[in-house]
Amino acid sequence: QVQLVESGGGLVQAGGSLRLSCAASGRTFSSSYAMGWFRQAPGKEREFVAAITWSGGMTYYADSVKGRFTISRDNAKNTVYVQMNSLKPEDTAVYYCAARRSTVVVTSTRDYEYWGQGTQVTVSS
């Protein structure tokens, strides 16, 4: 029903920057969706990173990335971005894009209905 494709991951040195993209498609997708970024490191649970709503542009960030990451969206392109600055080794993880129908930001993994395949981000020490 909704397809999500992440891109932009890669290898970066500590202190560097990356921008991840999530392209959304599907005939049921609409501006009433909330979009989120999550990440999962080896041996750890998937954790919330940032979220945004299509309509109002409301955002919310995990404390661990606040001030370093910025989530945004381009409604015309149905694409969500996360700009990641001042990257740290502990940011290393597979980053996932997710979506669900909601007019407010959603931060819980279990509340998201659609998921992308993930993109690897590796930050060297």
Side-chain angles (χ1 to χ4, degrees):
Q1 294 179 339
V2 176
Q3 293 79 46
L4 305 174
V5 180
E6 303 98 332
S7 62
L11 175 64
V12 65
Q13 191 172 347
S17 299
L18 284 173
R19 189 180 76 158
L20 305 182
S21 300
C22 174
S25 62
R27 63 186 65 189
T28 62
F29 188 81
S30 71
S31 60
S32 63
Y33 274 77
M35 304 292 295
W37 284 98
F38 294 79
R39 66 187 183 186
Q40 187 168 22
K44 302 189 69 175
E45 295 182 351
R46 190 169 299 183
E47 65 176 347
F48 169 77
V49 175
I52 190 170
T53 60
W54 284 106
S55 181
M58 295 178 290
T59 61
Y60 195 81
Y61 297 91
D63 289 340
S64 60
V65 305
K66 195 173 300 181
R68 299 188 298 121
F69 291 12
T70 302
I71 188 171
S72 62
R73 86 277 194 231
D74 186 333
N75 290 353
K77 296 182 178 180
N78 290 333
T79 301
V80 175
Y81 308 92
V82 58
Q83 178 68 43
M84 307 186 296
N85 299 325
S86 301
L87 284 164
K88 306 174 182 179
E90 51 263 44
D91 294 319
T92 296
V94 176
Y95 282 71
Y96 297 90
C97 178
R100 76 153 291 137
R101 187 175 180 86
S102 177
T103 57
V104 298
V105 293
V106 179
T107 62
S108 178
T109 302
R110 65 181 182 273
D111 290 333
Y112 279 90
E113 185 174 6
Y114 304 101
W115 293 86
Q117 82 288 347
T119 184
Q120 177 71 48
V121 172
T122 303
V123 184
S124 61
S125 302

